[in-house]
Amino acid sequence: MAATSVVPLLPLETKHPSSTVLVTGCTGYIAGPTIERLLRAGHTVHATCRDPGNTELLARLVALPGADKRLKFYKADLTHVGSFDEAVKGCDYVIHMAAPVTLGKVKPGEGKPKLIDPMLAGVDNVLSAVNRAPSVKRVVMTSSISAICTTASDKPKPADGSVLLYTEHDWNTTATEDFIPYARGKTLSEKRAWELAGQQSRWDLITVCPSIVMGPTVLACDSSESVGAVRDILWPGLMWPAAGDIGLALVDVRDVAALHCLAMVTPAAKGRYIAHAKSTNFFNVTHGNHSYTLIGVVASVFPKFWPARSLAPYWLVWLLGPLLGIGRDMLRALWGPAPDFDTRRTLSDLGLPGWLPEVDTWRDMILDMEAKKQIKMK
């Protein structure tokens, strides 16, 4: 778990008075490193999950430094009205992270009941609880770049030939209930949060929009899409001998955790912030040809890893995608260059000095998963 501490606390965090923070969805992929960082900064954390009595699941959170005195668990469910009321009592801040995350395994017609409706209910129920808790002064909510765009071609390239960069001003207009319903849910739920925030003036709202999040986390997170991508596709060698041209907009989970905490304590923070380090693709991540700029990131660190040697054609990946857990709507959205994002405002406003290198993200994630016996080292 030491790997979750790579991004040091910044002065704004260390100087901020100890506070009480509600983190929803504490068993989630991003929540673990965020809770670790909050505890490291001296805060008390109220953490919600559906089953706080599951001591085996929560053991790694309980073992974090400071957790014995400053981490408390509460039962809550996104879809249950009033279930966050007890957890939010006495909190100064709320970091709302809980949301269903399913990208490639949603059957037609399931997007609304499985993803969109729970996301919207979660926003309504968490922010209603905030409205009933007079101590809360700021809410930081995890959104996604999926609320900004679905593909790199969602809007036309600049006429002057410059690089197309998406910004905080962009909103996803292409996702639907049937085409990338996760992105549709993220868009609607973030807009709903802004609507509710605008109906009052006691607390303010900040949203963080991460790209695809990878890196070492605290809990095992076996059901996480990120863990599954490494465990079930990347590490077993399913991108050997060829990998599809699947775009990957990447950010390290430790940077995402830091941004949530910095958004919480930065007085002048406002609006949306994009968390994104690099746009690449799975071929560049896996291939073994060291003449490429990315030098086959995973292959360069783990010599026995089976790297991709060539690009697989779209028709082949389209046929095999469902067998790999890649939905065809997701394949359509991700095929080709990943979108790129302007993060200058994020770094400037929140003071993060930069993004963790991609090689650190993959190396630390793979070693972390090996330590948790989720994969075996080759």
Side-chain angles (χ1 to χ4, degrees), residues 13-55:
E13 294 174 278
T14 58
K15 295 176 182 178
H16 194 274
S18 297
S19 304
T20 301
V21 186
L22 168 61
V23 177
T24 68
C26 71
T27 59
Y29 190 78
I30 304 173
T34 303
I35 291 170
E36 183 276 331
R37 191 175 186 92
L38 290 168
L39 292 173
R40 189 158 31 115
H43 301 299
T44 294
V45 178
H46 289 189
T48 67
C49 59
R50 283 177 289 186
D51 184 11
N54 191 337
T55 56

Side-chain angles (χ1 to χ4, degrees), residues 197-240:
Q199 293 174 2
Q200 53 76 57
S201 58
R202 175 173 53 80
W203 51 270
D204 63 352
L205 175 68
I206 309 290
T207 59
V208 178
C209 301
S211 51
I212 296 175
V213 183
M214 293 290 184
T217 188
V218 176
L219 300 183
C221 296
D222 287 317
S223 62
S224 159
E225 296 275 347
S226 299
V227 169
V230 173
R231 180 193 60 222
D232 302 331
I233 300 176
L234 179 69
W235 196 247
L238 296 187
M239 293 195 177
W240 178 91

Side-chain angles (χ1 to χ4, degrees), residues 355-371:
W355 307 103
L356 287 171
E358 181 188 4
V359 66
D360 290 9
T361 300
W362 292 109
R363 180 195 63 229
D364 295 351
M365 182 175 186
I366 289 169
L367 291 176
D368 181 60
M369 290 179 65
E370 182 205 17

Side-chain angles (χ1 to χ4, degrees), residues 313-332:
Y314 179 82
W315 66 265
L316 180 61
V317 183
W318 187 89
L319 285 174
L320 298 178
L323 299 177
L324 303 177
I326 303 173
R328 285 175 176 150
D329 64 336
M330 184 59 61
L331 182 62
R332 284 170 53 202

